[in-house]
Every structure is written in C-alpha cells, then in structure tokens.
Amino acid sequence: MQNVVTYLMIFFTALIMQGQTDSAVNAAAHPTKYQQGMRKAFQLWQENKSWEAANVFERIAAAEPDNWLPPYYVAQINVINSFTEKDATKLKAQLDKAQDFINDATAISKENPDLLVLQAQLYTAWIVFDGQQYGMTYSPKASELYSKALALAPNNPRIILAKAEWDMGGAKYFGQSIEPYCKDIQRAIELFATFKPAGEFYPTYGEERAKQIQAESCK
C-alpha cells in the first residue's frame, strides 16, 4: 500500500502545482479586484507559502459567494499539505476544513468533475496517512468518484489523466499490467492539444505530467 500512496502523492502534488502556475500566467493584463486577489494567492503558493495562499483564497471565497474556484483552492491546499502530515490531530483539522470547502464549492457548482477529483484526493490523503485503516474504506470511494467525473467529462484530458494514474497505481500495487491505462494517457495527451479551460483561473494542469508518465511508464 505504501508504494501506491507514495505514487499517488507525487502525482497529485506535481499535477496541481502545474495547474496553479498556468492559471497565474493566464491572468488578465488589467485585473479586477478578484483577479488581483487570485494572482496574489497563486504567487504565494508558488513561493511555497501555501498557508498564506490558502488564507487569501479563503478571503476571496467570502467575498465571492457564487464562485466555486476560491473554495476549491482552499480545499486543495489543505488536501495537498495533508499528504505529508504525520500528526493525526493536525491532519484531521486540515481534512475537515478541506471537506467544508469542498462542500461549499459543490453547493455552488454541482456535478463538477474537478470537485469530484478533489474529493477523491481528500480520500487519498487519508489513505496516505494510514493505508491499513482507511484503504479499504476510501479506495472504492475514490475509484467511484473518478468514474463519475469521467462520465461527466469524458473528453476532458485532465480527468482522463487523473483516473488513469489512479488506476495505474492500483494496478502496480496488485501486480497487474498498466498497459490499458497507457492508452488513456495517450488519449489525454492528444486531447490536451486542443483543450481550453472553461474560464480564467480554472484548473489547466496535466499535459506535461501526462507526457512524463508516458515516457517513464509506458515505453
């Protein structure tokens, strides 16, 4: 189990941080107050000041109650930081907060595949912390969320990539072939060529990660 969760932890961290870089670069030349705040948060995050970034996102979320992106990023930071948290009390506080913000974002944007993937990442954080205790409970739930996200967005390369790498982690753990999922990685790469995010500051990560996986695992 440890090999699987380490594999997934590396994936999520690399995947998400790439997305934040892309979003910051794509911000408008004449930003609104909202854009300025989002830029500031992404910049802090890129400077490895993730908790400061989370605080900014949280303030934006309070000021933008109809926008799912700020609470999404608050939750995302708490989830990512939980992957390396060893203290059970701190972990629970972070993941409880992440869950609250996922719930807030979901209330704004229902049936959102990005939020489904983030929920799966939250379950993964529990598995990373204690695979024996949480693996049997949360692994099936994460798998179900990836399948639902893919059903909602079957041509979204980020969702295809996220599910494929989750499945690859499971296949490696059980000593199974990852070849079927390499086909999904290839499909994601092809779709990234024409993929456009739905709006500014939307997640845009994945293309470089997909190419890296293909080069390292799908030779």
Side-chain angles (χ1 to χ4, degrees):
M1 178 61 72
Q2 185 60 41
N3 289 341
V4 176
V5 297
T6 300
Y7 182 82
L8 293 170
M9 182 174 66
I10 293 169
F11 160 63
F12 288 132
T13 303
L15 201 63
I16 292 165
M17 287 311 297
Q18 180 188 336
Q20 309 333 314
T21 302
D22 292 343
S23 293
V25 169
N26 291 334
H30 301 286
T32 63
K33 187 174 181 179
Y34 163 71
Q35 290 168 326
Q36 289 176 342
M38 293 293 280
R39 276 186 176 182
K40 178 181 178 181
F42 285 129
Q43 184 62 41
L44 287 167
W45 201 348
Q46 289 151 27
E47 293 171 356
N48 293 318
K49 299 175 181 177
S50 61
W51 292 122
E52 291 93 331
N55 289 335
V56 175
F57 282 127
E58 192 168 348
R59 291 197 294 272
I60 298 170
E64 300 278 341
D66 297 323
N67 188 334
W68 67 272
L69 287 168
Y72 167 81
Y73 288 121
V74 176
Q76 201 173 69
I77 289 172
N78 277 271
V79 169
I80 291 172
N81 286 344
S82 295
F83 285 145
T84 53
E85 181 56 64
K86 303 302 182 184
D87 183 276
T89 301
K90 291 180 180 178
L91 179 83
K92 185 178 186 303
Q94 288 173 200
L95 292 181
D96 284 352
K97 184 168 187 175
Q99 188 65 69
D100 287 342
F101 277 90
I102 289 173
N103 294 344
D104 290 346
T106 301
I108 298 166
S109 181
K110 296 178 173 60
E111 300 296 298
N112 184 320
D114 284 301
L115 293 172
L116 295 176
V117 168
L118 182 55
Q119 182 70 66
Q121 292 171 9
L122 186 148
Y123 291 148
T124 303
W126 281 115
I127 299 169
V128 168
F129 180 68
D130 190 338
Q132 282 194 324
Q133 182 175 354
Y134 297 111
M136 292 293 290
T137 300
Y138 289 134
S139 289
K141 290 184 177 182
S143 295
E144 182 180 354
L145 286 165
Y146 282 118
S147 294
K148 184 176 180 181
L150 188 62
L152 288 169
N155 296 312
N156 185 318
R158 291 182 295 98
I159 306 302
I160 296 168
L161 171 62
K163 184 178 186 303
E165 192 153 12
W166 168 266
D167 290 337
M168 288 174 112
K172 287 187 175 184
Y173 177 69
F174 290 109
Q176 300 170 346
S177 172
I178 64 170
E179 185 177 353
Y181 310 117
C182 285
K183 295 177 182 178
D184 294 328
I185 296 296
Q186 177 60 37
R187 180 165 179 260
I189 291 171
E190 293 170 356
L191 288 170
F192 272 120
T194 56
F195 177 76
K196 301 294 182 185
E200 189 176 357
F201 300 119
Y202 276 59
T204 59
Y205 59 77
E207 184 171 9
E208 292 306 314
R209 178 59 181 166
K211 291 176 179 178
Q212 180 184 2
I213 296 167
Q214 186 179 62
E216 294 178 354
S217 302
C218 297
K219 297 177 182 178

